[in-house]
Amino acid sequence: MAKQIRLNVFDMTSAMHNSHGLWKHPNSERHTQYKDLDYWIELAKLLERGKFDAVFFADVLGIYDVYKQSKQPSIRDGVQVPLNDPAFVVPAMASVTEHLSFAVTVSTTYEHPFGHARRFSTLDHLTKGRIAWNIVTSYLPNAARNFGLPEMLKHDARYDLADEFLEVSYKLWEGSWEDNAVIADASQEILIDPSKVHEINHKGEYFSVEGPHLSEPSIQRTPVIYQAGTSERGKEFAAKHAECVFVGGSAEKIKSAIQDIRQRAQKYGRNPENIKAFTFLNVIVGETSEQAEEKYQELARYWSAEAAKAQYGGSSGYDLSQYTDLDSPFEYKHTEHGQSRAASLTKDAPKKLTVREVLNRFEIIDRNHVLVGNPSEVADAIQFQFEESGVDGFNLAHLVTPESLEEFIDLVIPELQKRGIYKTEYEQGSFREKLFNHGSSLLPSDHTGSQYRKTAILEGK
């Protein structure tokens, strides 16, 4: 069988995600209904009808406040605020679906691994093995202050902390409970064999956790691990831990980043083919090219440049309101925010951009990042990116919800299926089993986390 596209929906449990200003569109439902559980239940049913692999829930822990050194632009246009906790909608969405999986973003910088491990074990139990964790280290200054820090940890220090966070998590998920610890033997009056439940006794630079894990092993034990970030430190972290990575840019840059991460993975003893790669996708589709173009023009009228600049400011660390010399080059400068985002319009751009050119990119919906056309044209572009970049799948954004998703499912999915590059039926099994050919729901034996199942770890060595 030919390689088939994996498809996630890119979403947030917020009034708006990255469709800046489009809450004003008359068909937008999310900003009034995102607080309603029925909204998420109906979305889950829609996505399962479209044979989506997963909902990928992004998340942040603060307000975007770099642009104009103010929270007001973000708050005014709902830039990822107001925002609820994504973990709470997952069980409801899972209850009305059989196959749709769920990737939940959690920051290693502001969470604690002990409580985090229990939350994800619980979700994996309740969804019957359909949970993934998208690891982020967080980049918003407001998030740091919300958790009592005067400023953000340095970029690479956040990854150092994340490495230890993963170590503790693996010890809890993989090493604390043996497979047959729960015996439920009424004749001996033993529910759980205490000799098979172990403290982890972790003492490190950032965390001290005695254990044992409070939850018994779930179907996957460790959730499927997603990670985004193509800075040098981010790629190294992905090579060690990630099963799914997100990369952006041109087909050539995506291909190069994927190859780099997979090559790095080999030094950790990992099979590079055990890493799936995803990139971003946004689509405006109509039954004809003319209809699609009309939709683009209509959506462009609602676009908020201020909101787009506010989102870019928080993710990159660049306050675009401070750039006044419009004809000067837009230069790279190091920030402690998202380094790949900072590089995207500077040293990673196809050509040197002026400040004016950068600002103009935020004034309208960027045609460089949105596919506009009829079903065949959109499918052509998706297939080209899929084949040329070497990605395994896409994170599909949606400008007007649920309309954009309904149109994609009704118009584009059948075209992709006709070409044999998108599934017509789901495979059986856990999320990890669907993504990989491991023959098991557990981490493969070559993964960094699997070493924590060893007896030496259980003995605290």
Side-chain angles (χ1 to χ4, degrees):
M1 179 186 294
K3 180 180 172 182
Q4 294 189 329
I5 293 169
R6 300 288 182 180
L7 198 58
N8 303 322
V9 158
F10 193 33
D11 215 330
M12 283 185 107
T13 46
S14 59
M16 296 303 295
H17 188 191
N18 291 334
S19 49
H20 303 304
L22 297 184
W23 62 270
K24 302 185 292 289
H25 191 282
N27 295 340
S28 175
E29 296 181 5
R30 67 177 299 138
H31 68 288
T32 59
Q33 297 186 26
Y34 80 99
K35 307 179 296 296
D36 190 334
L37 201 55
D38 288 338
Y39 169 84
W40 297 104
I41 288 172
E42 291 306 312
L43 179 63
K45 293 177 181 177
L46 173 67
L47 298 179
E48 183 130 314
R49 177 167 73 82
K51 304 293 188 295
F52 279 75
D53 291 274
V55 185
F56 179 96
F57 283 115
D59 198 28
V60 292
L61 295 170
I63 305 294
Y64 287 78
D65 60 355
V66 171
Y67 181 60
K68 295 185 175 179
Q69 302 300 296
S70 171
K71 299 179 181 67
Q72 290 190 15
S74 297
I75 293 174
R76 184 183 300 115
D77 239 323
V79 179
Q80 300 178 9
V81 64
L83 172 64
N84 291 335
D85 189 325
F88 287 97
V89 304
V90 169
M93 297 177 80
S95 73
V96 297
T97 55
E98 181 182 354
H99 296 284
L100 185 69
S101 295
F102 308 91
V104 179
T105 296
V106 173
S107 172
T108 52
T109 304
Y110 303 119
E111 295 278 347
H112 192 283
F114 185 78
H116 166 80
R118 181 172 70 155
R119 182 190 309 139
F120 271 74
S121 290
T122 302
L123 289 172
D124 203 49
H125 280 302
L126 295 179
T127 62
K128 296 182 171 62
R130 291 187 273 155
I131 285 296
W133 169 26
N134 177 50
I135 299 169
V136 297
T137 62
S138 297
Y139 51 62
L140 293 175
N142 180 238
R145 296 191 294 271
N146 288 339
F147 286 85
L149 300 178
E151 60 183 16
M152 293 189 297
L153 294 178
K154 300 296 185 183
H155 178 271
D156 287 3
R158 298 199 299 269
Y159 275 110
D160 293 339
L161 186 154
D163 264 323
E164 187 177 336
F165 193 112
L166 267 292
E167 181 184 350
V168 178
S169 300
Y170 294 142
K171 288 177 179 179
L172 292 166
W173 285 323
E174 300 290 337
S176 187
W177 288 62
E178 296 181 40
D179 285 338
N180 55 352
V182 180
I183 59 176
D185 188 335
S187 66
Q188 297 187 61
E189 299 184 351
I190 300 175
L191 175 60
I192 303 158
D193 183 347
S195 70
K196 296 179 179 179
V197 179
H198 308 274
E199 296 174 355
I200 66 168
N201 294 313
H202 175 90
K203 293 187 183 299
E205 181 179 354
Y206 299 99
F207 303 108
S208 179
V209 180
E210 181 180 36
H213 186 33
L214 286 179
S215 300
E216 65 177 281
S218 65
I219 290 174
Q220 299 184 120
R221 281 189 176 260
T222 297
V224 173
I225 297 175
Y226 280 65
Q227 191 262 346
T230 51
S231 67
E232 283 299 302
R233 190 65 179 87
K235 286 190 287 189
E236 196 67 24
F237 184 88
K240 184 177 180 181
H241 299 288
E243 296 175 273
C244 299
V245 296
F246 292 99
V247 291
S250 66
E252 183 180 352
K253 287 188 177 296
I254 291 170
K255 192 170 192 174
S256 175
I258 294 169
Q259 290 173 343
D260 187 6
I261 292 169
R262 286 178 173 157
Q263 287 173 356
R264 293 172 189 240
Q266 294 181 60
K267 74 179 180 183
Y268 294 104
R270 298 185 63 192
N271 179 350
E273 297 307 309
N274 286 341
I275 299 175
K276 300 288 186 187
F278 292 77
T279 193
F280 300 99
L281 178 64
N282 214 339
V283 169
I284 299 172
V285 63
E287 293 184 4
T288 67
S289 303
E290 293 74 21
Q291 287 179 355
E293 186 61 34
E294 288 172 4
K295 286 182 181 180
Y296 170 80
Q297 297 298 335
E298 179 191 19
L299 293 171
R301 289 196 293 272
Y302 295 101
W303 184 255
S304 170
E306 287 288 282
K309 292 172 187 176
Q311 197 276 336
Y312 176 77
S315 60
S316 67
Y318 297 165
D319 178 2
L320 294 179
S321 71
Q322 301 298 309
Y323 290 79
T324 56
D325 185 355
L326 300 184
D327 294 317
S328 65
F330 191 68
E331 301 285 2
Y332 175 82
K333 64 178 181 179
H334 176 79
T335 75
E336 298 301 336
H337 294 244
Q339 291 185 3
S340 56
R341 184 66 166 139
S344 64
L345 296 179
T346 53
K347 61 184 181 181
D348 286 349
K351 68 181 185 72
K352 195 79 167 179
L353 299 172
T354 66
V355 170
R356 188 190 309 276
E357 288 172 321
V358 169
L359 293 175
N360 285 343
R361 287 190 174 217
F362 295 94
E363 292 300 322
I364 58 172
I365 301 173
D366 189 352
R367 292 293 286 261
N368 293 317
H369 296 98
V370 180
L371 304 181
V372 182
N374 64 40
S376 180
E377 291 167 336
V378 169
D380 284 344
I382 292 173
Q383 185 170 2
F384 175 82
Q385 181 80 315
F386 180 57
E387 294 173 350
E388 290 296 313
S389 69
V391 293
D392 296 280
F394 299 90
N395 254 14
L396 177 68
H398 34 113
L399 294 170
V400 177
T401 312
E403 181 180 277
S404 296
L405 292 173
E406 292 169 340
E407 291 170 343
F408 187 89
I409 290 169
D410 292 337
L411 298 175
V412 181
I413 291 291
E415 183 66 28
L416 297 175
Q417 290 172 327
K418 190 190 311 179
R419 300 175 185 213
I421 56 174
Y422 191 75
K423 60 186 165 298
T424 57
E425 296 295 338
Y426 281 108
E427 297 175 1
Q428 297 298 313
S430 67
F431 191 27
R432 184 172 280 115
E433 287 176 294
K434 287 183 171 72
L435 284 172
F436 300 98
N437 192 28
H438 299 330
S440 171
S441 293
L442 303 178
L443 286 171
S445 59
D446 68 310
H447 190 278
T448 307
S450 67
Q451 68 180 283
Y452 293 93
R453 296 181 206 145
K454 297 177 182 177
T455 302
I457 299 301
L458 297 180
E459 293 173 352
K461 295 182 180 178

